[in-house]
Amino acid sequence: MCCLLDLSIGAAYSQTIDTIQYTPADSVTDVDTTASESVLPTGNDDSVLNRCWTPTQLQSTAKERVIHLQKPADHSPPQGNSDVDLDNTQNRAFSTAIAARSIRSVIPAHGEKIIALTFDLCEQADEIAGYDGAIVDLLRAEKVNATFYAGGKWMRSHPERTLQLMADPLFEVGNHAWTHGNLRVLRGVELTAQILWPQIQYQQLKEQLNSRSCAASIPDSIPDQPTTFRFPYGTCDAVALQEVAAAGLYPVQWDIVTGDPSKKQTAQHIIDTVLKQIHPGAIIIAHGNGRGWHTHEALKTLIPALKKQGYQFVTVTTLLQSGKHVTTANCYETKPNDNLRYDKLFGRGTE
C-alpha cells in the first residue's frame, strides 16, 4: 500500500524525539540563514490562484478522496518525455551545496517557533489515489502554510488540483518520486526516473499554467521545479541520497509522525502525538491522498492549539532557510533501522 507508515512499532509513534541529541559532527549541518524576522508569508488576493479559479472551483468534493485501482498498471513516463536519457547527467541540476543526507528537522537560528506541516500525495502505478481536499480547504481558511509532497504520477492524474496547489501563495509542492518507488531497492535508470520524472511533470504543468490568460499579467512567483524531495516509505541508502542530491534536491524527511495512513489511527492520537513532540523546527508528516485518516478532524484542533502556543506554520523551503539542518546518514520513521523490513514487504514499492 502506498505511503504506509507501519504502526506495528507501537510506542515509537508516541515517544518524544529529542532532535538535538544527535552528535554535532554526524547530524547537524550548518546552512546559510537569510530568514527575515517575519517568516510567515501572507496571502495575496491578486494571486494566480484567485485569478485562475473561483472559490467554487477550489472547493473540494468528497468523491475526490476515493482511491481507484488502475489496471493495467501505468509505468509510463511524463507525456512527451519517453526519450529522456536518464543516464545523461546533463539532465540533472547538480548542486554540490546539497549534502547527501536526510534532513529530519531544523534548529532555527534565532529560536523562532516555526514548524512545517507536510502532506504526502503519493500514487503507485496500479492506482489513482485521492485528494483530501477538506484538508486543503481548512489550511486555506486558517491561512496556514504547508508543503505537499506530490508523486509525479499523482500530479499527472490530478493536474488541476496540482496547479491550484502550485499557484497558492500559502503552499509549495515537493517531489515524492514518480510512482512511490522504494529507492533503497531500485537502482540505475529506475532509481533516476523516480527522481527526475516528477520534476519534468511539474515543469510541464507549470508551463500549462503560464500559458493561461489568467496568469499572463501576474509576476511569476511559482518555482520552476520542486527543490525538496521526500523518500517514499521513508526508505533510502547512501546511493539514493547521493542521487537525490545530484538532482539538486534537498532530501527531506520528518521528525513527527502522525501515523494517519492507518485506519486505526484516531484524531485524538494524532493531536496528542503532535502536541507532545512539537518543538521549533519540527517537520510533521501527514497524508492528503485519500489515506489521511482523521487528519482533517485532528487539524481542526491542532492548528488553533499550536497557534495558541505561538507557533507559526511555514513551508519546508522557508524552514530550511531558517537555521541548522538536523540530518542523518540514512532514513527511518522514528528511530534508526525501524523500516528495514519494508524492503521485503514492499520490494520495488511501485505497485
Side-chain angles (χ1 to χ4, degrees), residues 289-303:
N289 67 329
R291 292 190 172 97
W293 297 100
H294 305 294
T295 305
H296 173 253
E297 180 184 354
L299 287 173
K300 288 192 292 185
T301 296
L302 272 175
I303 289 173

Side-chain angles (χ1 to χ4, degrees), residues 2 11 30 35 60 73 81 140 148 150 154 168 174 180 187 192 226 260 273 283 285 296-297 338 342 344 349:
C2 171
D30 285 314
S60 66
N81 281 274
R140 285 177 175 144
F148 292 86
W154 189 95
D168 196 319
H180 207 257
R187 285 294 178 263
T192 307
D260 61 354
T273 297
I283 301 175
I285 179 175
H296 173 253
E297 180 184 354
D338 63 7
Y342 284 4
K344 290 185 178 180

Side-chain angles (χ1 to χ4, degrees), residues 306-335:
L306 290 169
K307 285 182 176 179
K308 186 175 181 180
Q309 290 186 29
Y311 283 100
Q312 284 187 305
F313 299 91
V314 299
T315 62
V316 167
T317 297
T318 298
L319 190 68
L320 294 182
Q321 295 171 347
S322 74
K324 294 181 179 180
H325 301 174
V326 178
T327 72
T328 59
N330 53 25
C331 299
Y332 52 87
E333 292 178 7
T334 61
K335 59 183 180 181

